[in-house]
Amino acid sequence: MISNLSKHSRRNLLRISAATVGLLFVGSHAMAQDGSAFTFANWNSAPIVNDIYDEFLANYESSRGIDIDAQGNVQFSDYQTRFRVLLASGNPPDVMRLNDDFLREMADKQQLTDLTPLIEASDFNIDDYFQEVWNFTQLPSGHIGVVIGVSPRVVYYNKTAFEEAGLDLPPDTWTMEGWTWDDFLEAAKALTNEDRYGALFIHDTGSEQTFAVNNGGEGIFSEDGRDFTLANSPNVEAIQWLADLTLVHGVQPEWGEIQTPNVEYNMFASGELAMVSGTMGDVAQYSETVQDFEWGIAPFPGNVNQVQEGSMVIFVVPEAADQKDAAWEFLHALSSEEGGSAFAEKNVFVPVNRAAAEKLDPSLSILAEAAAHQNSVNSTIATAEAVALYRPLLELVYTGQMSAEEALGSVKEQIDSLLQEG
């Protein structure tokens, strides 16, 4: 029961140091063994997730006798640009969070360090880890980065609102029975009133892949990474369906209402949203912030398929990093039982370390099911450039200024050219 989980999690979470209430592009400086600066960069997550990173950084510096100094705050969308700028500058942080969509592209550009020699020289033992997750960053060019966990995407819903509206609850297992797109839309309509929207998906970039594949498409890119398939049917129809939740049905907030950082967390916790998509990390957030109703977790509604695009939590060491040894030592700790336990105990993600994963709350079986229905974006040689071209156009779709077919079709030729240059 989520209500029981909430009480359990609140006791755990109250022990977290609230060192950073403002949200983070953590640029931290830690003094490595030789006294030089060890730098770390992450993007803004849910406030409680940020606190967990802060707590781990504080414990790491205390146990190793080093200093860590937070530098600045950057939202996820801004971080993507900042990441590429820092890599191009030749003076990036020593450890950086990486959007898992960009792994192949950055590796092919030889901008990231092959950690294989450092891993082999350490006391790392693959038997301590979920090998299929750990090997996500194992590419032909080497072991490019470290996966510390997997954060499946699900739908969080206001159980109290469903019950008060006389609606059947969404399923608590990964099934389409009673939970198709049509079922979801009918529920969202019934839950929408002058004080509350039925749902919110367009804030979440993971919705692009998830809904495209669930509509029977390939997703954003073709399997060979050479075609921008989001502009093709039935992918484009899925994006229009998402936009029409606002434009036609009025069950989703308008684009302008959701531009404030963390608005989705605040709106759900305050009862202004009945359903909202999010990653596993939001369990900790809602366990702390939801006070006035009971909430639950459901799978994404299905159509042709029923999958989700969970996020691999990846950190990398840029090729231009100054402190590669210290960077690997930190990542080894972050991916170990020591680091993974901090996230598992707060149910943030499924850690790559087996012993740490055992500390997840057993009531969250739906998240394990979600991980088994993972559908990642196909890798390309120009994912970052493609995203920079098509994602701004989605704002025009979500505000009704262009149809999804018009907007995505307008950049298809240009993106296909980028994807095929290699």
Side-chain angles (χ1 to χ4, degrees):
M1 293 292 293
I2 296 301
S3 56
N4 293 335
L5 171 64
S6 299
K7 294 174 184 177
H8 171 75
S9 297
R10 279 180 60 80
R11 287 195 297 269
N12 286 334
L13 291 166
L14 287 172
R15 292 197 288 265
I16 299 174
S17 170
T20 302
V21 178
L23 302 176
L24 111 127
F25 161 37
V26 178
S28 303
H29 293 280
M31 299 310 292
Q33 297 291 337
D34 60 1
S36 56
F38 163 35
T39 56
F40 173 78
N42 194 2
W43 62 64
N44 166 39
S45 299
I48 288 174
V49 179
N50 291 334
D51 288 344
I52 296 171
Y53 278 109
D54 284 344
E55 184 179 39
F56 182 81
L57 290 170
N59 289 339
Y60 189 83
E61 68 170 345
S62 176
S63 64
R64 282 132 177 107
I66 59 177
D67 295 324
I68 299 177
D69 185 21
Q71 293 297 299
N73 304 333
V74 172
Q75 300 299 318
F76 172 81
S77 58
D78 295 330
Y79 183 90
Q80 307 311 304
T81 300
R82 178 73 66 88
F83 181 91
R84 295 192 295 274
V85 170
L86 288 171
L87 284 179
S89 73
N91 187 32
D94 298 297
V95 177
M96 300 184 76
R97 179 83 174 269
L98 175 66
N99 184 332
D100 53 3
D101 294 345
F102 301 156
L103 181 66
R104 175 186 163 186
E105 175 186 348
M106 298 303 176
D108 285 357
K109 292 179 178 177
Q110 299 182 326
Q111 293 180 305
L112 305 178
T113 299
D114 174 12
L115 297 174
T116 303
L118 294 170
I119 294 172
E120 292 179 346
S122 71
D123 61 352
F124 173 81
N125 183 354
I126 188 60
D127 292 336
D128 295 336
Y129 296 79
F130 294 112
Q131 188 168 349
E132 65 277 13
V133 178
W134 178 264
N135 286 342
F136 182 83
T137 53
Q138 182 66 55
L139 302 176
S141 54
H143 201 101
I144 310 299
V146 171
V147 183
I148 68 170
V150 182
S151 186
R153 277 185 167 83
V154 288
V155 176
Y156 295 89
Y157 69 93
N158 184 328
K159 183 178 180 181
T160 303
F162 268 80
E163 292 173 339
E164 290 177 347
L167 298 172
D168 291 337
L169 296 178
D172 58 4
T173 60
W174 205 269
T175 177
M176 276 196 279
E177 186 175 350
W179 199 234
T180 65
W181 284 13
D182 289 341
D183 296 323
F184 166 84
L185 181 55
E186 289 306 307
K189 289 178 178 178
L191 291 162
T192 299
N193 56 39
E194 62 182 10
D195 298 317
R196 180 180 64 220
Y197 288 103
L200 176 59
F201 285 127
I202 56 175
H203 72 293
D204 183 357
T205 58
S207 293
E208 299 160 15
Q209 175 78 2
T210 297
F211 281 90
V213 174
N214 282 345
N215 201 38
E218 286 187 86
I220 300 172
F221 305 111
S222 60
E223 186 175 358
D224 64 5
R226 297 173 66 81
D227 186 11
F228 178 53
T229 49
L230 193 64
N232 300 344
S233 177
N235 304 279
V236 70
E237 285 91 345
I239 299 300
Q240 191 64 56
W241 187 87
L242 285 171
D244 287 346
L245 292 176
T246 299
L247 304 174
V248 175
H249 305 294
V251 301
Q252 180 172 241
E254 294 185 0
W255 184 250
E257 296 180 74
I258 59 170
Q259 299 311 300
T260 304
N262 305 306
V263 65
E264 68 273 21
Y265 304 122
N266 297 331
M267 290 183 71
F268 184 74
S270 67
E272 297 174 82
L273 284 176
M275 294 181 281
V276 62
S277 64
T279 65
M280 181 178 174
D282 296 341
V283 170
Q285 177 67 18
Y286 295 138
S287 296
E288 174 72 5
T289 60
V290 174
Q291 304 290 329
D292 299 326
F293 58 86
E294 189 174 359
W295 55 277
I297 304 174
F300 274 85
N303 197 25
V304 178
N305 302 305
Q306 190 184 27
V307 300
Q308 58 83 31
E309 186 209 341
S311 295
M312 294 284 185
V313 186
I314 298 175
F315 286 88
V316 296
V317 179
E319 182 59 34
D322 291 328
Q323 299 295 327
K324 294 180 180 179
D325 288 346
W328 159 245
E329 288 178 14
F330 175 80
L331 291 180
H332 191 185
L334 190 61
S335 62
S336 69
E337 182 178 1
E338 172 192 5
S341 295
F343 295 94
E345 288 169 358
K346 281 79 177 181
N347 303 297
V348 171
F349 54 65
V350 180
V352 67
N353 181 274
R354 292 176 181 274
E358 292 178 359
K359 299 177 184 179
L360 289 166
D361 193 296
S363 70
L364 296 175
S365 59
I366 182 65
L367 291 160
E369 288 189 70
H373 290 81
Q374 168 79 13
N375 188 278
S376 298
V377 176
N378 290 320
S379 296
T380 84
I381 61 170
T383 299
E385 289 91 335
V387 167
L389 285 170
Y390 83 78
R391 196 160 280 161
L393 294 175
L394 291 182
E395 179 176 344
L396 301 180
V397 178
Y398 296 148
T399 55
Q401 298 176 65
M402 295 181 73
S403 70
E405 184 176 13
E406 292 170 330
L408 297 172
S410 70
V411 290
K412 177 171 172 53
E413 183 176 348
Q414 185 177 1
I415 293 177
D416 283 349
S417 179
L418 287 170
L419 300 179
Q420 294 163 19
E421 284 181 355

